[in-house]
Amino acid sequence: MRHQGGYGRLAAAFALAGLSSCAMVQETPEPTPGSVKINEDPYPSTYQRYPGALTYIHGATILDGEGGRIDNGSIILADGKVQAVGGPELAAPAGAFSIDAHARFVTPGIIDVHSHLGDYPSPGVASLSDGNEATSPARPEVWAEHSVWPQDPGFSRALANGGITTLQILPGSANLFGGRSVVLKNVPARTVQGMKFPGAPYGLKMACGENPKRVYGSKNQMPQTRMGNIAYVRQTWARAQEYRRKWHKYEVAGGEIPVRDLAMDTLRGVLDGKILVHNHCYRADEMAIMIDVAKEFGYKISTFHHAVESYKIADLLRENGICSAMWADWYGFKMESYDAINENIAFVHNAGACAIVHSDDPNGIQRLNQEAAKAMASGRRAGIDISEATAWTWLSSNPAKALGIFDKTGSLKAGKMADVVLWNGNPFSAYTRPDKVWIDGTLMYDAANPRLRPVSDFELGQPGEGDVK
């Protein structure tokens, strides 16, 4: 009896222990699906607009950036925004700084969608050459902003000589996947984050054609041909789709956390529609192939850059909602740029597609207004009637749309950022230059005031310090 009783007590103890163990297991909370999140903005903008003044500009010819023109127009800037735009009936608010702009033009600030300022700064020496991570054909993990040198004197030249208020800094085109781009406000800052355009989407720089196959073919590795380019691109997107599926499964159902891959994070951002694709591509046939690749893998191309043969497929670009960022007349420096025409921009615009004038050059960025003038003139000679107001869309509203920031800037509409240029004449003249430039309603450059000519610390004491000629 004692044995049975001892056995019974022992069995009861084990049973209690078992129940206790079960209770402990049941009380442990299940893993929350997707509890681990990837920070999609680890380097947030710290941009703060400079203090501005209530400003009233009147008597100007206003090109509003959306194709509209107001003669003898007036505009009010306050609290960093365009407050009102109208004709002579728009009265000056009390206490406003008033500018008589008769015989002069007012436009939105120019937006350059293709720049390498800061990544390939001046002086152009090897130690400052930071735009191409040419170590693999696919480098989507690199970010252009991590190479941007805010002290680049090119920023102030672009502001003072070119009226550039916003610009996208892209990695170079050595790679099929060059990395992330960043959109900047053209203001002096100690850090690149102090220049970052608040809320602007990231971009992904891609490239097709000669550059990747030349860079890697010369190393006797893939890609060595155009078919190699496309095969490598497709395989990379296939990997990105699988990475996206793993993370989506984890975020919905929980379980084991997928291994983080910085390159795939960028490509997943594209597949999720959060990162915009900017594709370096010259030839029409290659642009058409890249459109098909995008459809195969479920992403959208925002803009083809350089795109000297866009005139051949303008209807495809229109149908797929893709912009072309083009030069007015650069061509012939390599085979894929050979079949260009001066009417390219005008023909793309005339077909109803999105046309943009871009620079890709530290000097060209200082005269994009003249590049637009040349493109407009070429179109007119071809029988396309393009007004000055329409041509300005190539410099402001269309680039803003391509960068995903048109709700904030790119035209002179009430409520938008007061990114404004007052020109000393007609901006389509080679003799005209900026008189004053405002960014977020702050006067950042004034040709009549030497104290309002930004000079980077690097330039101080150097020959040509602050030179804007």
Side-chain angles (χ1 to χ4, degrees):
M1 291 290 295
R2 282 197 295 268
H3 174 74
Q4 288 177 345
Y7 180 81
R9 286 194 296 272
L10 186 62
F14 276 119
L16 283 171
L19 286 171
S20 175
S21 175
C22 288
M24 288 176 63
V25 170
Q26 290 171 355
E27 289 171 5
T28 302
E30 290 292 329
T32 303
S35 57
V36 174
K37 301 290 186 183
I38 293 175
N39 183 359
E40 296 180 354
D41 189 23
Y43 304 96
S45 170
T46 59
Y47 169 78
Q48 296 289 328
R49 68 179 180 88
Y50 284 78
L54 177 61
T55 303
Y56 173 68
I57 307 168
H58 62 98
T61 300
I62 297 177
L63 307 181
D64 69 7
E66 295 185 27
R69 174 181 178 133
I70 304 173
D71 294 313
N72 195 17
S74 305
I75 183 169
I76 299 171
L77 316 178
D79 300 322
K81 305 288 186 184
V82 174
Q83 298 296 322
V85 181
E89 75 285 349
L90 184 63
F97 175 63
S98 183
I99 299 173
D100 184 347
H102 282 87
R104 291 182 283 175
F105 280 64
V106 168
T107 69
I110 294 176
I111 300 172
D112 190 3
V113 300
H114 194 118
S115 176
H116 300 292
L117 291 182
D119 279 4
Y120 287 111
S122 300
V125 295
S127 63
L128 293 178
S129 177
D130 290 310
N132 271 311
E133 183 59 37
T135 52
S136 167
R139 284 296 184 203
E141 66 266 44
V142 303
W143 296 23
E145 68 191 77
H146 296 149
S147 283
V148 170
W149 183 41
Q151 296 290 311
D152 184 359
F155 288 118
S156 61
R157 271 44 172 199
L159 176 77
N161 293 336
I164 304 293
T165 55
T166 301
L167 63 167
Q168 177 177 225
I169 310 301
L170 292 151
S173 54
N175 299 336
L176 296 166
F177 296 84
R180 292 199 196 195
S181 67
V182 63
V183 179
L184 304 179
K185 303 282 282 190
N186 193 14
V187 298
R190 293 179 299 170
T191 67
V192 68
Q193 286 168 266
M195 302 174 73
K196 283 178 73 170
F197 194 111
Y202 280 110
L204 169 66
K205 172 69 175 293
M206 294 184 66
C208 57
E210 291 183 22
N211 288 13
K213 80 187 192 77
R214 182 190 73 247
V215 170
Y216 294 98
S218 66
K219 299 176 182 180
N220 199 32
Q221 69 179 82
M222 188 176 185
Q224 201 170 50
T225 61
R226 282 182 164 83
M227 61 183 176
N229 282 349
I230 301 303
Y232 204 112
V233 165
R234 294 178 69 222
Q235 189 61 60
T236 303
W237 282 119
R239 286 179 51 219
Q241 285 184 326
E242 179 59 26
Y243 182 78
R244 183 190 186 210
R245 279 193 291 269
K246 288 179 179 178
W247 271 96
H248 181 71
K249 179 180 178 182
Y250 163 72
E251 288 164 353
V252 171
E256 185 176 353
I257 303 169
V259 176
R260 179 103 183 262
D261 185 321
L262 296 180
M264 294 298 108
D265 282 350
T266 292
L267 300 187
R268 184 192 177 193
V270 173
L271 295 175
D272 288 343
K274 298 176 181 178
I275 296 175
L276 306 177
V277 171
H278 294 272
N279 204 148
H280 161 118
C281 220
Y282 286 77
R283 286 185 359 191
D285 59 317
E286 290 188 277
M287 286 186 271
I289 290 171
M290 294 309 298
I291 291 171
D292 287 340
V293 170
K295 290 177 179 178
E296 178 185 7
F297 292 97
Y299 68 91
K300 186 181 185 306
I301 298 169
S302 169
T303 309
F304 284 118
H305 290 242
H306 311 331
V308 300
E309 293 186 15
S310 282
Y311 66 95
K312 298 182 180 181
I313 55 165
D315 56 333
L316 288 181
L317 299 172
R318 179 191 67 242
E319 291 162 8
N320 288 278
I322 300 173
C323 293
S324 289
M326 300 163 281
W327 297 298
D329 54 8
W330 274 18
Y331 80 102
F333 45 90
K334 52 183 175 177
M335 277 306 302
E336 66 184 1
S337 70
Y338 187 80
D339 203 10
I341 60 173
N342 290 350
E343 299 81 8
N344 191 29
I345 293 172
F347 282 2
V348 168
H349 166 81
N350 198 49
C354 170
I356 295 170
V357 179
H358 76 335
S359 78
D360 189 28
D361 182 74
N363 290 310
I365 197 173
Q366 300 178 42
R367 49 192 63 86
L368 283 179
N369 58 310
Q370 297 177 27
E371 296 301 300
K374 288 190 288 185
M376 179 178 66
S378 294
R380 287 177 174 177
R381 284 192 292 270
I384 302 172
D385 184 17
I386 301 170
S387 70
E388 293 173 342
T390 296
W392 204 264
T393 64
W394 306 339
L395 297 170
S396 61
S397 59
N398 284 356
K401 292 171 184 175
L403 297 176
I405 56 175
F406 184 58
D407 60 324
K408 300 177 178 69
T409 191
S411 64
L412 301 180
K413 297 294 183 181
K416 288 199 171 186
M417 293 172 170
D419 299 335
V420 180
V421 182
L422 172 63
W423 302 86
N424 63 9
N426 187 315
F428 294 98
S429 167
Y431 298 100
T432 296
R433 52 181 296 114
D435 184 2
K436 294 176 173 57
V437 182
W438 291 264
I439 297 179
D440 279 329
T442 301
L443 186 58
M444 302 300 300
Y445 171 74
D446 185 348
N449 184 355
R451 296 173 65 88
L452 280 176
R453 296 182 187 179
V455 179
S456 75
D457 286 351
F458 176 79
E459 284 190 86
L460 293 175
Q462 302 287 339
E465 172 189 316
D467 181 20
V468 294
K469 294 194 291 293

